[in-house]
Amino acid sequence: MGWHLPILPLFPGQSDVDQAMRTRLNQINQAFYARVAAEFDATRKRAWPGWFQALSRIDSPIQSVIDIGCGNGRFALFLSERQPTSFDYTGIDSSQGLLGLARARLSRLGQAEIRLIEHDLVEDELPDMQAQLVVLFGVLHHIPGFRQRRELLVRCAELLGPGGHLVFAAWRFYEEERFQARIVPWDSDFPVEYNDYLLDWRRGERALRYCHYVDDAEHDDLVAATALSAKADFRADGANGTLNRYTVLSSGKEG
């Protein structure tokens, strides 16, 4: 990479932000998705290559899945195309616009029992439920605060049924110049966390979104916090095949 922007200094709260700042950062993203849901949906039509790799590490067929930050529901479509057997799908997201698009799209699935839940992952705890597979794709970078990201992964591990798998991906946007070019400086009244950035959206509506760059050290800490067994860890997606870092975790529990 020919150039590198300076990383923001550590926030005094030891790599974390307080509840008031988490709320403010969350409000940025709530406003972002309310404004650009249609444009965002238009850029999220295809399955990510990493999904194929992740699914190859998991015993099939999948009987039940919880999709945290499901967006427009395209993972359910992907799964329905990969296996002929029926499955239960629960999609959770805070965006009414994206959930509406998911509801319309997934109503055509014949082999899946669909449940979509509007839920704020920053402000509220995940509801009690259980599934064979729990996935988080394009989610962690929108969760403010190191502790809250770790608590979310721990909670997701608790949702696994016997022999279940947790798959999450961290968006490594800061490693690519095209995303570095979209970084907008924070106002002085935003004492944000180390590796927190504000990115400019440049398709259709202009809008800003809060994104946290999960580096390798934090990613490894998140994996360790789940107390699950790692089955696979790889990079995939994007033009260079490295845009997301995936980890496939197994509960190791027997039914």
Side-chain angles (χ1 to χ4, degrees):
M1 186 179 298
W3 55 282
H4 190 72
L5 290 176
I7 296 177
L8 293 170
L10 275 173
F11 181 61
Q14 195 59 43
S15 290
D16 212 342
V17 292
D18 60 22
Q19 180 58 51
M21 183 56 62
R22 285 197 293 270
T23 297
R24 291 181 71 186
L25 294 173
N26 189 40
Q27 288 172 344
I28 290 174
N29 286 344
Q30 295 286 6
F32 170 81
Y33 285 104
R35 186 171 184 176
V36 305
E39 289 86 358
F40 192 84
D41 172 67
T43 67
R44 303 297 189 274
K45 297 296 187 183
R46 298 179 180 179
W48 288 346
W51 296 358
F52 294 89
Q53 295 186 50
L55 201 62
S56 71
R57 269 76 167 189
I58 299 171
D59 296 335
S60 58
I62 305 299
Q63 297 176 342
S64 57
V65 57
I66 300 173
D67 187 356
I68 309 294
C70 66
N72 61 9
R74 61 191 170 127
F75 185 74
L77 290 176
F78 163 76
L79 192 57
S80 71
E81 294 168 352
R82 303 299 297 174
Q83 67 175 49
T85 55
S86 62
F87 59 93
D88 292 333
Y89 172 87
T90 300
I92 299 175
D93 205 281
S94 62
S95 170
Q96 290 184 1
L98 290 175
L99 284 173
L101 292 166
R103 189 167 291 108
R105 184 170 290 121
L106 301 183
S107 64
R108 302 189 294 270
L109 287 186
Q111 81 269 41
E113 185 69 30
I114 303 296
R115 180 167 64 146
L116 298 174
I117 301 174
E118 184 179 344
H119 180 90
D120 191 325
L121 294 173
V122 175
E123 298 294 339
D124 304 311
E125 291 187 4
L126 286 170
D128 290 331
M129 58 183 73
Q130 191 175 83
Q132 176 190 0
L133 173 63
V134 177
V135 299
L136 299 91
F137 302 133
V139 176
L140 281 178
H141 60 274
H142 283 334
I143 306 299
F146 172 75
R147 272 198 309 267
Q148 192 157 15
R149 288 188 294 276
R150 184 163 55 185
E151 289 169 1
L152 175 60
L153 263 296
V154 170
R155 177 63 181 136
C156 287
E158 295 171 348
L159 302 182
L160 294 179
H165 290 85
L166 169 62
V167 183
F168 74 95
W171 185 29
R172 306 302 288 267
F173 64 91
Y174 193 76
E175 300 169 15
E176 297 204 4
E177 290 186 14
R178 66 189 180 103
F179 290 113
Q180 287 194 2
R182 298 184 183 185
I183 293 175
V184 175
W186 291 102
D187 290 339
S188 59
D189 64 338
F190 273 87
V192 291
E193 184 186 13
Y194 178 73
N195 280 341
D196 278 355
Y197 296 98
L198 197 59
L199 297 187
D200 181 16
W201 174 264
R202 299 180 180 179
R203 181 186 176 98
E205 290 277 352
R206 298 299 292 273
L208 298 176
R209 52 179 165 162
Y210 150 75
C211 298
H212 177 80
Y213 169 64
V214 177
D215 59 21
D216 282 334
E218 180 177 354
H219 193 115
D220 293 342
D221 184 276
L222 294 173
V223 170
T226 68
L228 299 175
S229 301
K231 293 188 66 176
D233 192 284
F234 58 90
R235 298 284 290 266
D237 309 333
N240 298 322
T242 59
L243 190 56
N244 287 306
R245 179 181 172 185
Y246 287 81
T247 301
V248 180
L249 301 166
S250 171
S251 67
K253 298 179 289 186
E254 298 181 359

